[in-house]
Amino acid sequence: MNLLIIEGRKLKRSKLLWILIAAILIMWIPCVLNADVNFDMEAEGISPENNFFIQGFMGFAWFLFPASIVVVTVLIAQTERKNRGLFKMLSLPVHPGGLCLSKFVILLFLLAAEMLFMVLGYFLSAEAASGLENYDFSVDVSMVLRTAGLVYLASVPMVALYYMLSVLITSSVFSVGIGLALIVPSVLVMNTKAWFVYPPCYPFRIVTAQMHDLATKMGSFDYELVPWIPAAAVITVLCIVISCIFFGRGEVR
């Protein structure tokens, strides 16, 4: 708890939350300005309001959310390495594993905050688009919250993977490059039988499945909880354990 309090104070002094808010604004503004294109999707059996909602979350789940995870994890790691801050922390009677876990929890909190910003951004954007097009683009609140919750939970293994990469790769350029490179194949991997072993595609798979549920003429795109949940649990635990083992080794040397 003491480590979490310390990490929370560091987060309060950082500008990470403002970066996440800016990313959400950049994503929703074009959706509002181009809200009229949602009327063209009725041929697929999806209503304009459902398409407005699902397209926004698809863009978020496929690229913006994973990219935010990559950037935030690297920024957190580089902040600690700046002025040998991590070395000073490890010189204190603090268990490296506990420090590693506290940073991971703070990372999950940051992403929960981004998900909250995403939900708020949707409601504000739906209101703005409704006024712009004289059509109600709002959908049921429960559907928005359910989708946001599922996307967040499905992102935990991906967060653990990217956090492990930021621990193992001390170069910020290589860490960001590898992290972003892992996002691109998620669209292809998502459509294979082995998609459940590739965490970067989990959030996008969730939203895509919901799009097929909302569009009556697109067919089904279901996902089976087994073997997905066991595989996701193993990947998450494995990545966290590796992160705790190797956390701070480069600085100690």
Side-chain angles (χ1 to χ4, degrees):
M1 289 303 299
N2 289 333
L3 290 174
L4 285 176
I5 292 173
I6 293 172
E7 294 301 322
R9 290 172 180 171
K10 294 178 184 178
L11 176 62
K12 188 177 180 180
R13 293 195 298 266
S14 70
K15 296 180 175 60
L16 291 178
L17 287 175
W18 292 108
I19 294 175
L20 298 179
I21 293 174
I24 296 298
L25 290 175
I26 292 173
M27 194 206 72
W28 276 119
I29 289 176
C31 292
V32 174
L33 297 179
N34 298 289
D36 59 315
V37 301
N38 294 283
F39 297 106
D40 299 332
M41 292 297 294
E42 291 184 335
E44 302 294 335
I46 185 170
S47 64
E49 62 271 20
N50 285 337
N51 191 65
F52 179 84
F53 160 72
I54 207 67
Q55 290 298 327
F57 269 81
M58 284 187 70
F60 177 74
W62 172 64
F63 185 78
L64 183 61
F65 199 36
S68 299
I69 295 172
V70 173
V71 172
V72 169
T73 50
V74 171
L75 286 178
I76 290 177
Q78 292 305 310
T79 300
E80 290 294 346
R81 294 186 178 114
K82 187 178 180 181
N83 298 323
R84 305 190 72 188
L86 185 56
F87 176 79
K88 297 174 183 177
M89 285 288 294
L90 293 174
S91 64
L92 299 174
V94 177
H95 195 282
L99 185 58
C100 177
L101 287 176
S102 66
K103 292 183 179 298
F104 181 71
V105 172
I106 290 298
L107 180 59
L108 292 178
F109 170 78
L110 270 173
L111 298 174
E114 183 180 18
M115 187 59 72
L116 176 62
F117 298 150
M118 177 65 182
V119 171
L120 293 176
Y122 161 73
F123 287 120
L124 294 175
S125 300
E127 288 296 322
S130 298
L132 187 65
E133 298 295 332
N134 196 26
Y135 179 89
D136 187 9
F137 281 98
S138 301
V139 299
D140 188 65
V141 176
S142 62
M143 183 169 68
V144 178
L145 297 180
R146 178 179 177 275
T147 302
L150 289 175
V151 170
Y152 179 77
L153 291 176
S155 301
V156 173
M158 179 173 60
V159 175
L161 173 64
Y162 286 140
Y163 183 68
M164 181 188 70
L165 292 177
S166 71
V167 171
L168 297 178
I169 304 174
T170 56
S171 171
S172 59
V173 175
F174 283 107
S175 185
V176 171
I178 294 174
L180 294 178
L182 290 175
I183 299 174
V184 179
S186 61
V187 178
L188 298 176
V189 177
M190 180 187 67
N191 292 281
T192 66
K193 294 182 179 180
W195 66 272
F196 54 87
V197 300
Y198 196 72
C201 77
Y202 289 177
F204 193 46
R205 175 94 184 193
I206 290 288
V207 181
T208 303
Q210 182 157 356
M211 181 188 70
H212 281 259
D213 290 339
L214 294 174
T216 58
K217 298 180 181 180
M218 286 188 177
S220 61
F221 193 72
D222 298 329
Y223 50 87
E224 296 180 354
L225 297 181
V226 178
W228 176 31
I229 299 301
V234 170
I235 292 171
T236 303
V237 173
L238 185 62
C239 290
I240 293 176
V241 169
I242 294 175
S243 299
C244 291
I245 293 174
F246 289 93
F247 184 80
R249 285 199 175 185
E251 284 73 15
V252 172
R253 291 175 184 174

